[in-house]
Amino acid sequence: MPNAAEILVDTLIAWNVEVVFGMPGDGINGIMEALRKRQHEISFVQVRHEESAAFMACAYAKWTGRLGVCLATSGPGGAHLLTGLYDAKLDQAPVLAITGMQFHDLIETFTQQDVDLTRVFNDVAVYNVQVSDAAHMENVASLACRTALARKGVAHLSVASDIQEQPSDAAKRSKRNRPAHMPQNMFVPHCVADNEELEKAAAILNAAKRVAILAGRGAIGAAAELEETAGLLQAPIIKALLGKAVLPDDHPYTTGGIGILGTLASQQAMETCDAVLIVGSTFPYIEYYPKPGQARGVQIDCDAQRIGLRFPVEAGLVGDAAETLHALNRRLKPKADGMFLAAARSAMHRWREMMRQSEDSEGHPLKPQLIARAFGERLADNSILAADSGQNTELAARHVDLRDGQAFGVSGALASMACGLSYAIAAGIAFPGRPIAAIVGDGGFAMQLGEFSTAVRYGIPLKLLVIKNNMLNQIAWEQMMFLGNPQFGCELQPIDFAKAAEAMGGKGFSIERADEVERVLDQAFAAEGPVVVQALVDAYEPMMPPKMPPDYAKNFRKALPQTPGHELIEQNVAREPAKTMMEAEG
């Protein structure tokens, strides 16, 4: 008879789970043995830190749309999963977390690693169960998979080490728990937008003269329908960061990103529109939406809870983005006046010219915009690009133009550091043979540096660009702009990441000057296997928002004289290509 751990693994296989990310430990020995016995049907990817396992499971779910699974031992092993699981919770990625426990009859006796992980996971999980025996496992394993997928969140199973090895015939089954009464198949609710709401939405959009579209990750897979909508409404498409791959960055309808990492063209469109259509996005920064009373709102989302979360919409369309847009498009009247879209295109053209000026700087020290642009231009048409959180996110958002067929991923609402490498590894596991790339900062990369050896072990064709300024750069700028405080505590001890990559069995390259960029990147992209390219860039290069808010400008001026290296910062700000337009608009 199968034991509880074998029932669990068999259930995962039945739910078409192909990979489990995790790290062994004595609290999950039974589950590890069940995975060993089924290793030809389900793969175990060993990581160097449980946090990475959770990030990988989250990223795997995002990349594939399927269930991501992570595994950790009792106590600290399970606790280490939390950051990656919160990433999944906030970005609505379906993930199953499996953790071990001490012996079932020693729970709450202060034994070793006596941590009630169900209590710890109570906030992060939509389904959270301590498995009591093998008969219980037959029911809850399937229900955990179903709930994670149906609710697009985290499910958690915690299993005592001795229960894992309990045979199903040894469990004391209750009379109501009939064997095999829980189905193994998935029932996906099909949500279709209400006709009355569709008519209301169409009336709002047809009456508007200047419609802006905000598209997020929920719009991925609806590119054709979104393009038709934009054409009918003559509306620019603004992309939230998670929606960067919805349309190619050079598409004539898009004005690129929004927010502090976005473009001035997108901000201008939001400030001057009289209606906004939000598709699959809950972009969190409310200050970048139209001002109250300025614009009417329509929102499409598959989750009714997300409707009206950031902006007071008058029509909420709950349903799949592609199907809902298709139904909406049949009700839209083509707009004859394309002046609003033309103005957005013109603004985007000017923005691109300014970005090109910053990317063409050949001075020393090396400017990060230059290396980011050159790195992005070398990505193959089917590349998958991950970014970490920090200044590197801005560089990926603004200076890497995604093309049709490329994919992009990042920790969205959680914005966690140390996610980029894990996201890239998960992409390589999910899509063997596709080129994988990541842009990370030296701060985030150092947090999970050992995980590069995981990329080596599993042969991920990874090109990893490390923006090395020996500084937690984004945090330093936030200290200045958000609160008017001088930079403090953000300097980092330098690490030679190229040598570290070689020590772990990969290849490492270094770039310090602009005239080295083309040659070294050519060598790096020609190399096989996992590659690190560390670029030593100007630590005093400013992170400027597309339009400097008055309070940011005031805080910046206050903090600058007290900040180390303020003379170099002032010189860089004076040379900032967008500075003139920012001041003129501000």
Side-chain angles (χ1 to χ4, degrees):
M1 298 294 290
N3 62 29
E6 291 167 341
I7 292 169
L8 171 60
V9 173
D10 286 343
T11 302
L12 296 180
I13 294 170
W15 279 85
N16 297 317
V17 174
E18 296 180 351
V19 60
V20 175
F21 301 95
M23 192 171 182
D26 65 349
I28 50 173
N29 279 340
I31 297 172
M32 290 300 299
E33 174 62 8
L35 286 169
R36 185 191 68 82
K37 290 179 177 179
R38 305 293 196 280
Q39 61 185 294
H40 298 299
E41 300 170 81
I42 185 169
S43 299
F44 175 72
V45 173
Q46 184 210 80
V47 301
R48 292 301 186 107
H49 194 286
E50 291 91 352
E51 181 182 279
S52 299
F55 274 133
M56 290 179 195
C58 174
Y60 184 92
K62 287 183 180 180
W63 295 128
T64 65
R66 299 166 61 184
L67 182 65
V69 181
C70 54
L71 173 64
T73 192
S74 55
H80 284 161
L81 294 174
L82 275 174
T83 302
L85 295 181
Y86 271 104
D87 189 32
K89 173 185 177 176
L90 295 185
D91 282 354
Q92 297 183 286
V95 169
L96 171 62
I98 304 166
T99 62
M101 295 177 64
Q102 60 285 344
F103 291 103
H104 81 281
D105 54 358
L106 292 178
I107 294 172
E108 300 292 354
T109 66
F110 309 105
T111 190
Q112 187 180 35
Q113 297 188 344
D114 191 2
V115 178
D116 185 350
L117 291 171
T118 55
R119 191 181 304 165
V120 172
F121 284 27
N122 195 48
D123 178 65
V124 79
V126 295
Y127 186 78
N128 189 16
V129 176
Q130 178 182 320
V131 181
S132 60
D133 61 15
H136 192 209
M137 180 67 85
E138 290 179 1
N139 300 329
V140 297
S142 181
L143 193 53
C145 295
R146 181 184 306 183
T147 306
L149 287 162
R151 297 191 179 179
K152 296 184 178 180
V154 176
H156 171 228
L157 297 176
S158 189
V159 196
S161 57
D162 54 327
I163 295 297
Q164 294 169 30
E165 300 185 70
Q166 182 189 63
S168 58
D169 58 357
K172 295 181 179 180
R173 185 184 299 273
S174 65
K175 62 182 181 181
R176 287 183 178 173
N177 184 13
R178 294 183 177 180
H181 78 269
M182 185 71 69
Q184 296 293 325
N185 53 320
M186 171 66 180
F187 300 100
V188 181
H190 188 68
C191 193
V192 180
D194 180 76
N195 279 329
E196 185 177 340
E197 287 296 303
L198 280 166
E199 295 294 342
K200 187 190 300 184
I204 292 169
L205 297 172
N206 286 332
K209 296 181 178 180
R210 302 178 304 279
V211 180
I213 298 174
L214 173 61
R217 189 168 68 93
I220 291 176
E225 293 81 3
L226 187 66
E227 188 175 7
E228 182 182 1
T229 306
L232 289 167
L233 296 174
Q234 290 295 286
I237 298 172
I238 300 161
K239 298 190 295 184
L241 184 61
L242 291 180
K244 183 173 171 64
V246 169
L247 289 174
D249 280 316
D250 63 354
H251 194 283
Y253 285 154
T254 188
T255 55
I258 185 174
I260 196 169
L261 310 179
T263 73
L264 188 59
S266 291
Q267 187 156 346
Q268 289 173 332
M270 277 294 195
E271 290 176 350
T272 55
C273 68
D274 62 0
V276 59
L277 170 61
I278 305 168
V279 184
S281 176
T282 50
F283 172 71
Y285 298 100
I286 296 173
E287 61 269 30
Y288 289 96
Y289 288 83
K291 293 179 180 179
Q294 170 201 318
R296 304 178 73 183
V298 175
Q299 185 174 354
I300 299 172
D301 203 289
C302 63
D303 185 353
Q305 187 182 43
R306 301 259 161 168
I307 298 292
L309 204 58
R310 312 292 184 216
F311 187 78
V313 300
E314 297 177 48
L317 307 178
V318 181
D320 173 78
E323 291 187 15
T324 305
L325 284 171
H326 178 73
L328 180 62
N329 289 341
R330 289 181 295 176
R331 295 167 167 83
L332 296 178
K333 299 176 182 178
K335 293 191 184 299
D337 186 353
M339 294 298 292
F340 185 62
L341 177 59
R345 284 177 174 172
S346 178
M348 191 59 188
H349 178 71
R350 295 195 303 273
W351 178 263
R352 286 186 175 279
E353 288 181 340
M354 290 187 297
M355 291 301 99
R356 178 61 74 179
Q357 290 178 42
S358 68
E359 293 159 359
D360 287 344
S361 175
E362 297 184 354
H364 185 76
L366 176 65
K367 297 300 181 182
Q369 301 94 326
L370 170 62
I371 186 68
R373 178 77 181 193
F375 184 82
E377 288 175 341
R378 285 168 168 76
L379 299 181
D381 289 341
N382 64 336
S383 289
I384 301 175
L385 174 66
D388 210 287
S389 295
Q391 186 187 25
N392 62 90
T393 322
E394 178 216 16
L395 296 170
R398 286 182 175 174
H399 301 283
V400 176
D401 283 345
L402 288 188
R403 301 188 294 278
D404 192 24
Q406 295 178 332
F408 177 75
V410 68
S411 173
L414 189 65
S416 175
M417 291 175 65
C419 70
L421 176 56
S422 296
Y423 268 56
I425 292 171
I429 297 294
F431 302 107
R434 283 186 68 173
I436 309 297
I439 299 177
V440 302
D442 48 358
F445 186 37
M447 288 181 173
Q448 295 287 358
L449 179 59
E451 220 60 74
F452 184 76
S453 68
T454 305
V456 174
R457 176 176 183 173
Y458 292 98
I460 308 299
L462 171 64
K463 301 295 184 286
L464 183 74
L465 174 62
V466 184
I467 303 300
K468 181 179 176 181
N469 48 29
N470 303 320
M471 174 80 73
L472 297 173
N473 198 269
Q474 180 169 336
I475 297 171
W477 286 95
E478 288 172 348
Q479 288 176 346
M480 299 177 72
M481 290 191 297
F482 290 179
L483 295 174
N485 298 329
Q487 295 179 10
F488 177 74
C490 298
E491 297 80 5
L492 298 173
Q493 176 66 22
I495 297 173
D496 191 328
F497 295 106
K499 287 184 178 178
E502 293 174 353
M504 287 183 277
K507 296 180 176 65
F509 298 86
S510 296
I511 300 175
E512 295 189 18
R513 303 187 63 87
D515 57 11
E516 298 172 340
V517 169
E518 298 296 324
R519 174 181 57 81
V520 176
L521 284 181
D522 284 346
Q523 293 174 353
F525 273 80
E528 296 184 357
V531 172
V532 164
V533 179
Q534 66 173 359
L536 185 61
V537 302
D538 187 354
Y540 302 106
E541 183 66 19
M543 276 193 63
M544 304 293 282
K547 181 176 179 180
M548 184 73 84
D551 58 332
Y552 281 20
K554 179 180 178 181
N555 290 336
F556 181 73
R557 287 192 296 269
K558 173 187 172 185
L560 187 58
Q562 305 174 68
T563 295
H566 63 88
E567 300 92 346
L568 296 172
I569 295 173
E570 290 172 345
Q571 292 174 15
N572 283 334
V573 170
R575 290 194 296 264
E576 172 63 38
K579 178 174 180 290
T580 303
M581 180 174 286
M582 291 173 191
E583 290 178 342
E585 296 291 335

